[in-house]
Amino acid sequence: MVSDPGVAEVGLTGRITAVLKEAGLDVALFTDIKSDPLAASADGAASLARSHGARAVVGVGGGSALDIAKLAAAIALADEPAEHYALAANPLPKTGLPLILIPTTAGTGSEVTRTSVITSADGRKLWAWGEALRADLALLDPTLTVALPPTLTAATGIDAVVHAIEACTVRRGNPMADAYGLHAIRLIAGNAGGAKSALTRALAEPDDLDARGDMMIAAALAGIAFDATGTAIAHAMGHALGVLSGVHHGHAVGLCLKGALAWNAEAAPARHAAVAKALGAPCDGLEDEEAAALSSVAYGKLLQGSGLPLSLADKAIDAAALAALTMAPENAPMRDANCREVTEQDALVIAKRVLAQS
């Protein structure tokens, strides 16, 4: 079982272990994981799986724990370390261990994607991708997210809506991904019929299992969507922002999307008009260009309403450094998927916008 220390401390891993042991299974627990997890954690979990003679891997926790569980299951029967597979430099092993994922946040969608994000020994944020990282079973239980602090409920919820928005607006966007992505946006942020969004309800009433359930479904739907299309500039710059400042991933990509959304909408008005409508913006009777412009406004209201700080002034981040890291090779797939070409000058302009927000 792979989990993070916080989940273990509240007793969740103990409860699951007890159930598994009652069924006659022996469980080894790996919890050496932090936010933006190290590649070394995947290697450690895989090593424990080998020494334990594990027949399956269960991941329990937020995106970091699930990403490590996925990589550990994929490489446990192989000889190479996790970084060997980073940036798709080498194909993942064809044979791994069966994988069950149980998310405790509603945001990353890691339980349904073929991607694991890891941090290298020198601090670079890398990724691995392939069918070997797909779970055999994902279990969505909203009761597991009730104890999540408001800041994490907000940050992971914003992460999910950014996934969905980018999936619906990238170059590889398609009707099948739109079906998942737009519904995820409607669940998380929409106000059709005057109903409050799931994120607003989950923040206002943490025990509202209907809201928590909608958020878990939305996060998984958004994961399915971006797994098919990729993400874009908000994630390229969000990864860079996380490296430079340590800002939580969901918070980081949320701020970066705010800085880029209006600029992107100019290049793909029809797609952004659909996003604006899903966000609950008043788009009836408007041309695509007019409706697309509302996507940034509606998203900005959602971000502000989440309670996440909009200002990064206390981080003292240099805009040029943020732009340069956004243009680094590890962020190229996300940059290249963006609906609008991102030049070095564009990255600098967007970085300045992100850092000027308040």
Side-chain angles (χ1 to χ4, degrees), residues 86-356:
L87 305 184
N90 297 284
L92 287 160
K94 292 183 179 180
T95 304
L97 294 174
L99 176 65
I100 298 171
L101 297 179
I102 308 173
T104 59
T105 67
T108 68
S110 183
E111 66 274 11
V112 294
T113 68
R114 294 169 289 176
T115 305
S116 287
V117 179
I118 51 174
T119 301
S120 65
D122 61 359
R124 293 184 302 148
K125 205 161 187 178
L126 308 176
W127 48 267
W129 182 91
E131 285 294 330
L133 299 177
R134 194 188 292 280
D136 296 282
L137 177 67
L139 301 176
L140 307 182
D141 181 352
T143 65
L144 302 184
T145 68
V146 168
L148 205 63
T151 54
L152 284 179
T153 296
T156 54
I158 291 296
D159 190 21
V161 80
V162 173
H163 286 154
I165 291 172
E166 292 206 311
C168 292
T169 58
V170 292
R171 293 178 187 270
R172 292 190 294 271
N174 60 76
M176 296 300 290
D178 287 350
Y180 290 101
L182 291 174
H183 189 51
I185 296 169
R186 286 190 290 267
L187 283 173
I188 296 168
N191 56 7
K196 289 184 178 179
S197 71
L199 181 56
T200 300
R201 286 152 46 214
L203 288 169
E205 299 289 341
D207 294 334
D208 185 337
L209 289 183
D210 287 336
R212 294 286 188 178
D214 282 349
M215 285 302 302
M216 293 205 86
I217 292 168
L221 291 173
I224 294 170
F226 87 79
D227 190 58
T229 65
T231 53
I233 184 60
H235 273 74
M237 189 167 286
H239 283 190
L241 181 57
V243 169
L244 292 175
S245 68
V247 171
H248 182 278
H249 170 76
H251 188 186
V253 298
L255 294 178
C256 292
L257 183 64
K258 180 64 171 64
L261 192 53
W263 179 76
N264 265 346
E266 295 172 359
R271 288 191 165 277
H272 285 82
V275 165
K277 185 174 182 179
L279 284 166
C283 299
D284 290 348
L286 298 181
E287 298 292 334
D288 283 347
E289 289 77 7
E290 296 172 303
L294 296 180
S295 62
S296 178
V297 177
Y299 172 74
K301 289 180 179 178
L302 178 72
L303 182 61
Q304 188 169 29
S306 74
L308 293 174
L310 301 183
S311 173
L312 293 168
D314 62 322
K315 302 294 185 182
I317 302 165
D318 178 65
L322 178 57
L325 193 52
T326 300
M327 300 302 291
E330 58 265 31
N331 292 319
M334 295 167 278
R335 252 188 358 257
D336 294 344
N338 197 61
C339 65
R340 187 170 183 174
E341 182 183 358
V342 182
T343 66
E344 291 183 6
Q345 183 59 33
D346 294 329
L348 181 59
V349 170
I350 296 169
K352 289 179 177 179
R353 287 177 184 165
V354 169
L355 298 177

